[in-house]
Amino acid sequence: MKLVVVESPAKAKTIEKYLGPGYRVLASYGHVRDLPPKDGSVDPDAGFAMEWETYADKAKQLKAIADEAKNADSLILATDPDREGEAISWHVQEVLRKRKALPAHVERVTFNAITRSAVTEAMGRPRQLDEDLIDAYRARRALDYLVGFTLSPVLWRKLPGAKSAGRVQSVALRLIVDREREIELFRAQEYWSVAAVMEADGTEFLARLVRYNGEKIDRLTIGEEGTALAAKRAVEEGRFTVTSVETKPLTRNPPPPFTTSTLQQEAARKLGFAASITMRLAQNLYEDGAITYMRTDGVQMAPEAISAARKAVADRYDAGYVPDRPRVYETKAKNAQEAHEAIRPTEFSRERAGSGDHARLYELIWKRALASQMASARLERTTAELSDGTGRHGLRATGQVVLFPGFLALYEEGRDDDQDEDSRRLPRLRDGDVPAKKRVDAEQHFTQPPPRYSEASLVKKMEELGIGRPSTYASIIQTLRDRDYVRVEKNRFIPEESGRLLTAFLERFFERYVSYDFTAYLEEELDDISGGRLGWQAVLAEFWRDFKPKTAEVMEQKPSEITAALDDFLAPWLFPDKGDGSDPRLCPACGDGRLGLRGGRFGAFVACSNYPACKDTRRFGAEGGEEDSGPEVLGQHPETGEDVVRKSGRFGPYIETGSGKEAKRSSIPKDAGELDFELALRLLALPRSIGTHPESGKEIIASIGRYGPYLAHDGKYAKLASTAEVFEVGMNAAVAKLADAAKGGGRGRGSREPLKMLGAHPRTEAEIKLMEGRFGPYVTDGTTNATLPKTLAPDQLTLEEAAQLIDERAAKGPAKKGRGRKPPARKKNTKGKK
């Protein structure tokens, strides 16, 4: 019997069906061991020796693999065909070797698609484990560990509120922060455009002013309204004649099939998918045999796939849509590895696969791959020049027409920026024509700052710079969100204060290690290890030689010295020049103190130098670094007559009425909307009494606490969804919510609201939720509940880990009943017996 090990049970089931009798296929459920999160897991003094620890929740699966391996003639490691797949195979082999269960004959096979032909062909071409790929994995893992476990303690001690830093994660964060700085430094410039709506042969078209008073007009030439209106009058009064019509042929070639990066970008643009969702759906499609392997930098397709695509094009359209020669693509991405094919369908004759989001992603992959082997689109661009009788004023009209759609009949690539005007179609114009003038418009515009990064544009930028690997982009982006270093608004990334402060700290004290060039250089070195051109220990030694002393140097500095350095580094952003010659650091409250950055228990904040005599403070980066306007009186309290004041403190904005020990305060929730006097009074009046519970007769109250809005009754709590609910929830809804919370058996806030929505189960597609239970956090798909092992932190839980826990729990069958405490044994009645 031959034992085959793959990653997922879905993949195992399919492959076992293809291989038939004589083979036993088991899943490892991903990685089986890792570096334990503690000091000493990597020892630089011992040649970077690593101490690996088996995941506690993989014990059962590893036992099953080891038991089968003891009876197997050979072991076939068939994990994914990339560095991570090679690493999983190596880990499985090492675990079996330690348990003395490793068969004498071990082989490694890889296949790019889970189809019968691909799997059976791969079984006929076994090889040994690729030591260079394993070395590259070890180097990458050790680097990430050394950066995290050396730098994070520095952050915790010197930068209160910082959670962690990562080798690539911190550089990705810097991209987002740098873009925000560009936006803040940007100064909009006014400009005007003048255009005439004209008509010829019953068709309207737009002609823009390109020459005025004999001078060429560029986009920013007309900078104020007076000039724009004068130019508008000149166009209105002029009689414009067509002086030239130029027609140029254009050819547009199809884009190559998807790589991991371009798939993430296009799915974000066209389908609105986050990178993590795209990769989960693609993983499912791959395991179902619908597409080829989805982690790849390659843009080429196998010859047989190209032939199948060309045939599918001819069948769908006609021979004119098939180019004379097959198209061959080469990657343009920095540091790309072209060991694998591009992402494509396994069968081009299959137009649909899966349902819902799976079907939408498959259609995108199918269209892109098919279009890559279609004929070029042929277009015609027309430019018409018009001039008035004086020759001093000129207009230009441009248009474009598609002569032959080619690949555009099936697919057009999305764009991050706005489309231009050339796609308009012009009527037929000839020299000497005098088109009718319908109207002339002068429009005011302002130059726009560079846009914030979307997931698509961030992935594209990281790939251009050679930062990280495409297969890691989804997890990098998710980590930034999980750590609250960034937030997403309208599908764009905005850095949080903590993210800006962390980036400033790293730029000031570890500039080299968050530079784009150095990060890309490290990626190149890791790729050289994969190719056998560099030794992994030499790369680590070179990095550690400079990094370790640098962290020790920063650790020796006092927190006050760190804060002073950051205060100076961040001054242009925290205290921007007002433009009137005044001191931007002058305290608005006392008038003679100077504002500066201070470090506190809960992070950095800005305070007056006369503190604590002057209590003017604001959060680090409040209002994007703009000066706080100071206390604002909203009105007088109707009961006390005292001012109700909106203030800004170290922990954010709040409202206050009264003074001293009698003062009442309330923080302003983020979801409260625009604060007015009425809302301020309602917040100050909390907690709100809803009434007495119909069963217990005890009071139910609604309020806002440390963890958000909640209901309270007789020592029991239930979470509310929003601040608005605190003021709106009625008795019936409150009783129902408290009952739901009580059913969960939870102590304290026993809400049945999920802690986190993890996504759809990769195999059953049921929605998986992370819940808080009586005995700790657990995951559920609505049918099966699985408790989280103590070794697995809830905030670090991934969808794949949750799905695995549910699968393992379901495999055990329903929980056995009657396992509670036994009733006490009935005592024998000895009275009256001799």
Side-chain angles (χ1 to χ4, degrees):
M1 186 268 291
K2 294 183 178 180
L3 173 63
V4 182
V5 176
V6 296
E7 292 97 336
S8 74
K11 187 174 173 182
K13 185 177 179 181
T14 304
I15 292 173
E16 192 164 64
K17 180 176 66 178
Y18 292 154
L19 296 178
Y23 290 88
R24 180 80 170 97
V25 186
L26 292 179
S28 69
Y29 287 89
H31 277 283
V32 296
R33 62 178 191 169
D34 196 6
L35 297 171
K38 64 180 184 180
D39 288 336
S41 294
V42 177
D43 187 356
D45 297 329
F48 298 95
M50 300 183 203
E51 176 190 314
W52 301 99
E53 182 178 86
T54 303
Y55 291 128
D57 56 343
K58 299 293 175 70
K60 181 182 175 183
Q61 203 60 27
L62 283 173
K63 183 179 183 304
I65 293 172
D67 289 345
E68 290 287 348
K70 289 174 182 176
N71 301 317
D73 302 321
S74 63
L75 172 66
I76 300 174
L77 300 165
T79 48
D80 288 341
D82 59 3
R83 184 188 61 250
E84 291 302 307
E86 206 75 16
I88 292 171
S89 286
W90 174 69
H91 280 305
V92 170
Q93 176 183 272
E94 293 305 300
V95 168
L96 293 178
R97 179 177 283 125
K98 281 189 174 182
R99 297 187 180 189
K100 298 182 179 179
L102 187 67
H105 190 58
V106 180
E107 294 176 335
R108 172 84 168 108
V109 298
T110 57
F111 31 82
N112 198 41
I114 305 177
T115 61
R116 186 181 298 276
S117 59
V119 172
T120 51
E121 184 182 335
M123 288 295 173
R125 294 182 286 99
R127 62 170 173 82
Q128 297 301 305
L129 282 171
D130 188 328
E131 292 296 332
D132 292 332
L133 272 182
I134 295 166
D135 286 347
Y137 160 78
R138 287 194 284 196
R140 189 177 293 271
R141 194 66 197 88
L143 269 176
D144 292 341
Y145 171 89
L146 290 171
V147 170
F149 272 80
T150 309
L151 191 52
S152 292
V154 178
L155 294 176
W156 300 333
R157 296 180 191 178
K158 307 300 179 183
L159 197 68
K163 295 178 180 177
S164 69
R167 184 178 61 86
V168 180
Q169 147 201 334
S170 299
V171 183
L173 177 60
R174 182 184 174 183
L175 275 173
I176 296 170
V177 171
D178 281 353
R179 176 55 56 88
E180 198 69 18
R181 288 173 183 157
E182 289 180 60
I183 293 169
E184 289 164 353
L185 293 173
F186 179 84
R187 295 293 176 264
Q189 182 178 346
E190 179 185 6
Y191 69 97
W192 290 73
S193 65
V194 178
V197 177
M198 312 191 83
E199 184 181 67
D201 296 335
T203 303
E204 288 189 355
F205 65 95
L206 193 72
R208 293 198 173 276
L209 182 68
V210 293
R211 190 172 66 258
Y212 175 59
N213 285 335
E215 299 290 332
K216 181 182 176 183
I217 300 294
D218 291 322
R219 187 171 74 111
L220 302 178
T221 301
I222 302 176
E224 46 88 27
E225 186 178 16
T227 306
L229 295 177
K232 178 186 176 184
R233 282 194 300 273
V235 175
E236 288 173 333
E237 296 167 0
R239 183 174 184 272
F240 286 83
T241 304
V242 177
T243 57
S244 70
V245 179
E246 184 181 20
T247 301
K248 288 183 178 180
L250 286 176
T251 300
R252 279 184 63 185
N253 296 322
F258 284 128
T259 62
T260 302
S261 169
T262 53
L263 176 62
Q264 291 174 1
Q265 294 172 47
E266 194 74 338
R269 294 187 197 106
K270 290 194 169 182
L271 305 179
F273 291 166
S276 56
I277 292 174
T278 299
M279 295 310 293
R280 172 175 61 80
L281 296 173
Q283 177 84 37
N284 298 155
L285 290 170
Y286 165 67
E287 291 179 352
D288 288 344
I291 63 171
T292 54
Y293 192 55
M294 67 287 159
R295 292 188 180 91
T296 175
D297 293 327
V299 290
Q300 70 282 357
M301 293 197 301
E304 60 271 18
I306 292 176
S307 300
R310 288 167 64 85
K311 181 181 182 302
V313 172
D315 292 344
R316 185 180 177 89
Y317 299 99
D318 58 50
Y321 283 81
V322 183
D324 294 336
R325 297 178 182 175
R327 294 188 182 277
V328 179
Y329 296 93
E330 292 183 2
T331 187
K332 297 178 182 178
K334 193 173 182 180
N335 294 342
Q337 302 290 297
E338 299 193 73
H340 310 305
E341 274 192 89
I343 304 169
R344 62 168 177 84
T346 54
E347 297 176 31
F348 280 96
S349 58
R350 185 181 181 183
E351 293 188 21
R352 292 178 181 81
S355 61
D357 288 345
H358 289 86
R360 295 171 67 200
L361 187 66
Y362 177 82
E363 182 183 28
L364 191 68
I365 294 168
W366 180 82
K367 284 184 174 180
R368 174 86 167 219
L370 195 63
S372 73
Q373 290 300 321
M374 291 178 70
S376 301
R378 296 197 303 276
L379 304 95
E380 187 177 78
R381 179 172 292 172
T382 302
T383 304
E385 302 284 351
L386 299 91
S387 182
D388 72 339
T390 67
R392 293 178 57 78
H393 311 309
L395 302 174
R396 177 179 297 149
T398 57
Q400 186 171 279
V401 63
V402 177
L403 302 178
F404 171 68
F407 75 94
L408 292 176
L410 179 66
Y411 179 84
E412 184 165 10
E413 189 172 26
R415 291 172 54 168
D416 291 316
D417 52 355
D418 295 331
Q419 303 289 333
D420 56 34
E421 298 172 357
D422 290 345
S423 56
R424 295 193 181 101
R425 187 166 187 168
L426 288 181
R428 186 173 181 81
L429 297 173
R430 292 168 291 274
D431 287 5
D433 284 354
V434 183
K437 204 183 317 161
K438 306 282 285 185
R439 71 175 190 275
V440 180
D441 299 316
E443 292 185 12
Q444 183 188 36
H445 310 275
F446 291 92
T447 53
Q448 296 298 310
R452 292 185 173 107
Y453 285 111
S454 63
E455 277 215 13
S457 57
L458 182 62
V459 166
K460 184 178 181 181
K461 187 66 175 179
M462 290 172 70
E463 186 178 36
E464 286 174 358
L465 294 173
I467 296 170
R469 308 301 300 143
S471 59
T472 65
Y473 292 157
S475 61
I476 290 168
I477 291 169
Q478 190 60 47
T479 299
L480 294 179
R481 298 174 72 166
D482 291 344
R483 297 283 186 274
D484 294 324
Y485 289 149
V486 300
R487 68 181 186 275
V488 179
E489 291 182 6
K490 297 179 180 178
N491 293 323
R492 299 281 172 171
F493 289 109
I494 302 173
E496 295 284 14
E497 296 164 13
S498 56
R500 296 197 70 147
L501 187 61
L502 172 62
T503 300
F505 175 83
L506 294 174
E507 282 187 277
R508 173 62 181 79
F509 296 102
F510 295 92
E511 199 281 331
R512 181 189 184 199
Y513 302 101
V514 289
S515 72
Y516 305 134
D517 290 343
F518 179 75
T519 308
Y521 165 74
L522 263 184
E523 290 295 338
E524 289 174 0
E525 290 211 313
L526 290 167
D527 288 338
D528 284 341
I529 297 171
S530 298
R533 296 179 292 276
L534 274 178
W536 68 279
Q537 289 162 312
V539 170
L540 290 175
E542 181 187 359
F543 173 83
W544 188 246
R545 186 166 49 247
D546 297 326
F547 183 70
K548 177 60 176 174
K550 184 64 179 175
T551 55
E553 174 192 323
V554 177
M555 187 66 92
E556 289 175 2
Q557 296 193 42
K558 297 177 181 177
S560 58
E561 295 172 339
I562 299 285
T563 303
L566 289 177
D567 177 75
D568 183 60
F569 184 82
L570 290 165
W573 176 62
L574 289 174
F575 315 107
D577 188 354
K578 296 182 179 180
D580 57 3
S582 62
D583 184 1
R585 287 182 180 260
L586 187 66
C587 176
C590 66
D592 63 349
R594 300 192 78 239
L595 298 176
L597 189 69
R598 286 172 173 259
R601 182 180 173 188
F602 300 102
F605 65 100
V606 174
C608 176
S609 58
N610 290 332
Y611 182 87
C614 175
K615 290 184 168 53
D616 184 73
T617 61
R618 70 168 187 247
R619 290 175 299 135
F620 168 80
E623 303 299 320
E626 297 176 7
E627 183 179 315
D628 188 68
S629 57
E632 176 190 357
V633 177
L634 301 173
Q636 282 71 45
H637 198 287
E639 296 177 7
T640 65
E642 293 184 283
D643 288 344
V644 176
V645 186
R646 181 191 185 280
K647 295 184 175 183
S648 184
R650 291 169 57 181
F651 309 112
Y654 66 97
I655 45 178
E656 179 183 83
T657 185
S659 59
K661 293 181 179 180
E662 303 300 320
K664 288 196 70 175
R665 299 181 183 87
S666 173
S667 61
I668 303 172
K670 289 183 179 179
D671 67 340
E674 187 175 347
L675 180 73
D676 56 19
F677 182 52
E678 181 185 353
L679 177 59
L681 290 178
R682 295 172 81 184
L683 288 169
L684 288 168
L686 292 177
R688 166 183 167 242
S689 176
I690 296 173
T692 57
H693 195 288
E695 295 176 5
S696 68
K698 295 184 178 179
E699 187 181 29
I700 301 175
I701 65 164
S703 192
I704 301 171
R706 182 179 178 186
Y707 301 105
Y710 67 93
L711 291 170
H713 163 256
D714 194 20
K716 300 286 191 271
Y717 298 87
K719 188 190 292 185
L720 293 175
S722 65
T723 298
E725 268 201 288
V726 173
F727 305 112
E728 296 168 1
V729 67
M731 177 60 71
N732 292 339
V735 170
K737 286 178 180 291
L738 287 164
D740 285 344
K743 285 178 186 175
R747 288 168 289 187
R749 295 180 192 276
S751 171
R752 302 306 296 153
E753 292 289 329
L755 298 176
K756 189 176 181 182
M757 299 296 290
L758 296 169
H761 193 295
R763 287 162 288 285
T764 66
E765 297 189 8
E767 197 68 27
I768 298 179
K769 305 172 187 177
L770 175 64
M771 307 291 289
E772 181 64 56
R774 182 178 181 185
F775 302 107
Y778 67 96
V779 287
T780 180
D781 62 356
T783 304
T784 304
N785 298 345
T787 303
L788 262 63
K790 291 182 180 179
T791 55
L792 202 56
D795 59 341
Q796 303 293 324
L797 182 70
T798 66
L799 175 65
E800 291 74 18
E801 289 169 336
Q804 179 186 333
L805 290 172
I806 288 172
D807 288 348
E808 290 178 351
R809 183 68 192 85
K812 295 177 182 177
K816 294 179 181 179
K817 295 184 179 180
R819 297 183 65 181
R821 187 179 297 172
K822 291 182 179 180
R826 184 178 296 175
K827 292 182 179 180
K828 294 180 181 180
N829 185 6
T830 57
K831 289 183 180 180
K833 289 190 178 181
K834 293 181 182 179

